Amino acid sequence: MATIRQQAYQDVLNRKAKHSDYNGKISSLFGENVFHLDVMREFLPGDAYKSMVDAINSGNGVRLDRKMADQVASAMKDWALTKGATHYTHWFQPLTGSTAEKHDAFFKPVGPGRAIEKFDGDLLVQQEPDASSFPNGGIRNTFEARGYTAWDPSSPAFVIGKTLCVPTIFISYTGESLDFKMPLIKALHAVDTAAVEVCQYFDKNVVKVNATLGWEQEYFLIDKAFYNARPDIMMTGRALFGHASAKGQQLEDHYFGSIPERVEAFMRDFEQEAVRLGIPVTTRHNEVAPNQYECAPIFEECNLANDHNLLLMDLLEKIAINHDFHILLHEKPFSGVNGSGKHNNWSLSTNTGVNLLAPGKNPKSNLQFLTFFVNTIAAIHNNADLLRACIVSASNDHRLGANEAPPAIISTFIGSHLSSMLDELEKNVKSGKMTPQDKTELKLNIGKIPQIMLDNTDRNRTSPFAFTGNKFEFRAVGSSANCASAMIVLNTIMADQLIQFKKDVDTRINGGDAKDEAILKELQKLITHSKKIRFEGNGYGDEWVKEAESRGLNNFKDTPRALGVWSEKKTIEMFEKLNILTEREIEARKDIDFENYVHKIQIEARLIGEIAQNQIIPAVVEYQNRLIQNVQGLNAVLGSDAKAATKSQVEIITKISAHLNSMKSLCDTMLEERKAVNKIDSIEEKAVAYCDKVKVYFDEIRYHADKLELLVDDELWPLAKFREMLFTK
Ligand code: ADP
Ligand code: MG
């Protein structure tokens, strides 16, 4: 009988591409399943439509009054029924990292044999999902096991399949946020207010600043047969065992290669669905590792872009299965080849249509660009540890600092031209009164930026936080993460920085400095102050680790250590002052991160033990027995001459025994460690112990298992091999 692995291989060889039936224009699908403004205009009375426009534009979770909410709910339902929807759900973003939903039917019996489709303002605005099982970091004790989802009118509702999905925030009975969306909306509001204040120095018409986010989602695809034949991949999203295949990514043929037909059929399918949901996906390509791909939309307002990323991750998973694939969003599914990230391209844009991180056409707009640019660098400098903490996860730990991903040390790359520009500014701005000549010189310099940017081609792929011409690109974010975690921190620290900047500039102006001069002097101060965070060299090199240490930059290699910054007084003060998170909420979130970490490592440790014991050892022993039989046979036939004839077999038998014993005893020791670590009460100490005392065995155990893979008969090896999972076409 064929083994699961052999059966999987056969299944994959027999697969055919499944092409979608739709051959029309993609543009005619755009937003088809979204309750967007044009649809609202059609379905809503005038005053309700206007309330919705206001709510969307304010973007601050504005509440609609009861009457309006009833009208909007009724219109949403009528529209959703035209799309074939039968159910509705409050769609929310619990701290598990994925999205959650609980479906209810529109259908309501109203008498014997009579029923109607019902959806009113109450059902739209607030719901109580049975939320006691979502992580809450102790905020919601089980006796008050209630959490509410509340409608976020700034994100449009949409229909997936036969369900109307209403984007919501998720809060505890006592009003604390239990999700990613609520603090994100608050952080976006904070950066909006702070940036508008600073923009007023340059343009009185600016009344609203939106943070923009353009994410690039990397992922792996593997055939569903292989996925189901690998318990480790199925349960943890990554291969806990497996020797690298002889050929990996060294030829770079995948990156430049064409997309296989089956994969392209899958991509077409999910892109169509994404476009129907209003996600403007435009880019797709192969990534560096075999079977690794990327998709990216055009950037959007940050809250919407983040909803769209979560929706897309969900779509990827669902549609991959229709094509007999499984999507792996894990940051490092296969050791030995590149991992996956999710670059977060970020900028700020005004209601007047200006990108604040794009150099302008004249010295005045360039001074505005420099202001936001330098303040971003200062924010990164002052809060590097928070930026590290907002991208933590057990899975991202495998990727950061590996040789193809940004290091765990936070720094920023701005390119040689802008670097020298900042250096000059630092020198040229005089601390005393500036002469007209000083000012002319400065203006000339600042005026040069657009020309510089045009031919500024140097890009550094190794930086975790790089300036790329008209935006910053936060590259350390993990492929499986909710971008909100990074965006909450980035927009909060930017708001904090801009508020401080405004205060300092105003103080100078009140002291008699002209406005431009006050701004320039403050920028100079920030440039000097934040120098150590700027790094133009190779972020992947060992030299950088040493240099960063000498600069006093932290290098938190694992999740438990990186999380410490959340407990610092300065962190709590900033988040409380800006009304984004309370101390209790911060504590709860940190605990959830620790808990998630412990659970992930615990599950991996269990699976390592199981697979070693129940799959690897039996196969290895069977092969060893065959060799032993062979040796015994040769001894019987050849007698005293058998020594030479059995030499290789005996060697293999001995090697197998050595690796088998090492693997088994390491598994046993790891199990004992786990038992001890599980007794620790404090979640923080437990996470540290799981990292230092349990996880440390993973690579050692794997080393011996992977050696055994190379020794044992291919026919007998129970786990699908890397070459099969990554290269079978
Ligand atoms: P790459 O990093 O792969 O070379 P690009 O630099 O062309 O790609 O763009 C990457 C992403 O940056 C795209 O998703 C794009 O939508 C996004 N982007 C471009 N401008 C902005 C902006 N002002 N704000 C946020 N994201 C942006
Ligand atoms: Mg990029």
Side-chain angles (χ1 to χ4, degrees), residues 528-592:
T528 309
H529 173 70
S530 54
K531 234 177 220 165
K532 74 164 193 252
I533 204 73
R534 278 160 52 194
F535 178 61
E536 301 289 303
N538 175 15
Y540 294 175
D542 291 337
E543 304 78 43
W544 172 227
V545 176
K546 280 189 224 120
E547 187 183 330
E549 196 181 343
S550 72
R551 289 188 188 190
L553 295 174
N554 282 321
N555 181 7
F556 296 112
K557 291 203 182 70
D558 53 67
T559 294
R561 266 80 179 188
L563 284 171
V565 63
W566 283 113
S567 308
E568 285 175 16
K569 200 162 150 250
K570 141 176 176 243
T571 307
I572 297 165
E573 273 172 11
M574 174 170 65
F575 278 90
E576 292 209 319
K577 187 179 69 194
L578 293 170
N579 189 26
I580 291 162
L581 290 168
T582 63
E583 180 167 8
R584 215 159 104 91
E585 287 170 330
I586 289 176
E587 276 302 309
R589 271 156 203 272
K590 198 182 66 176
D591 281 358
I592 290 165

Side-chain angles (χ1 to χ4, degrees), residues 24-304:
K25 275 196 248 162
I26 297 289
S27 57
S28 56
L29 303 177
F30 191 57
E32 183 180 286
N33 293 340
V34 182
F35 191 62
H36 52 64
L37 280 173
D38 283 353
V39 186
M40 287 181 210
R41 204 200 308 266
E42 188 185 327
F43 281 79
L44 278 172
D47 49 348
Y49 173 73
K50 193 174 168 307
S51 309
M52 277 305 290
V53 173
D54 291 348
I56 292 165
N57 289 343
S58 87
N60 305 327
V62 163
R63 297 284 168 110
L64 265 68
D65 69 32
R66 178 56 213 258
K67 187 174 147 244
M68 294 299 162
D70 271 340
Q71 289 183 352
V72 174
S74 166
M76 251 185 212
K77 180 201 67 188
D78 291 344
W79 168 79
L81 291 178
T82 69
K83 298 279 160 201
T86 56
H87 287 65
Y88 61 90
T89 181
H90 272 197
W91 182 79
F92 60 105
Q93 305 174 19
L95 295 165
T96 44
S98 48
T99 55
E101 45 199 76
K102 175 188 162 228
H103 296 200
D104 286 298
F106 288 128
F107 165 83
K108 289 276 171 312
V110 288
R114 276 199 322 121
I116 54 163
E117 261 74 34
K118 183 168 182 280
F119 187 57
D120 62 17
D122 281 347
L123 297 172
L124 168 66
V125 171
Q126 192 166 302
Q127 298 245 315
E128 265 181 70
D130 176 19
S132 48
S133 49
F134 290 107
N136 57 60
I139 277 184
R140 194 187 49 239
N141 296 327
T142 31
F143 64 82
E144 50 171 25
R146 277 176 155 193
Y148 293 101
T149 51
W151 178 35
D152 165 23
S154 65
S155 299
F158 51 89
V159 168
I160 289 191
K162 294 197 175 303
T163 305
L164 168 70
C165 301
V166 178
T168 53
I169 55 170
F170 181 38
I171 44 183
S172 75
Y173 188 51
T174 43
E176 276 117 346
S177 71
L178 297 171
D179 72 345
F180 283 110
K181 199 179 197 24
M182 184 159 149
L184 177 63
I185 290 173
K186 288 177 167 180
L188 293 171
H189 177 59
V191 82
D192 170 16
T193 315
V196 165
E197 289 273 303
V198 173
C199 283
Q200 291 287 311
Y201 288 135
F202 308 97
D203 181 357
K204 296 281 180 219
N205 295 317
V206 174
V207 292
K208 167 92 188 158
V209 171
N210 273 329
T212 51
L213 166 64
W215 42 265
E216 304 165 53
Q217 179 72 54
E218 293 182 336
Y219 60 90
F220 278 84
L221 277 179
I222 67 164
D223 193 277
K224 96 175 176 205
F226 289 136
Y227 177 89
N228 289 317
R230 291 279 315 218
D232 47 354
I233 297 182
M234 193 158 72
M235 305 298 233
T236 71
R238 77 175 179 114
L240 298 169
F241 294 103
H243 199 281
S245 50
K247 177 184 155 183
Q249 64 189 43
Q250 61 275 67
L251 301 178
E252 299 195 334
D253 46 355
H254 182 67
Y255 195 46
F256 296 113
S258 62
I259 299 175
E261 192 189 352
R262 258 184 85 201
V263 175
E264 196 177 325
F266 153 73
M267 286 178 169
R268 272 183 186 281
D269 226 5
F270 91 71
E271 283 166 4
Q272 280 172 12
E273 285 314 305
V275 168
R276 283 189 167 99
L277 288 165
I279 310 172
V281 280
T282 50
T283 309
R284 61 157 101 121
H285 60 79
N286 290 0
E287 263 303 325
V288 177
N291 272 15
Q292 193 190 24
Y293 302 92
E294 179 185 296
C295 104
I298 294 166
F299 69 94
E300 299 175 286
E301 183 280 321
C302 187
N303 180 27
L304 182 63

Side-chain angles (χ1 to χ4, degrees), residues 212 214 216 297-299 345 347 355 459 461 470-471 473:
T212 51
E216 304 165 53
I298 294 166
F299 69 94
N345 296 275
S347 189
N355 174 357
R459 293 184 98 185
R461 291 259 149 213
N470 56 1
K471 61 192 183 284
E473 186 168 342

Side-chain angles (χ1 to χ4, degrees), residues 601-602 605 670 673-674 677 689-698:
I601 303 295
Q602 190 175 45
M670 179 172 78
E673 287 287 0
R674 247 164 63 213
V677 169
Y690 257 100
C691 181
D692 294 353
K693 302 207 165 132
V694 177
K695 192 175 157 248
V696 281
Y697 288 99
F698 291 6

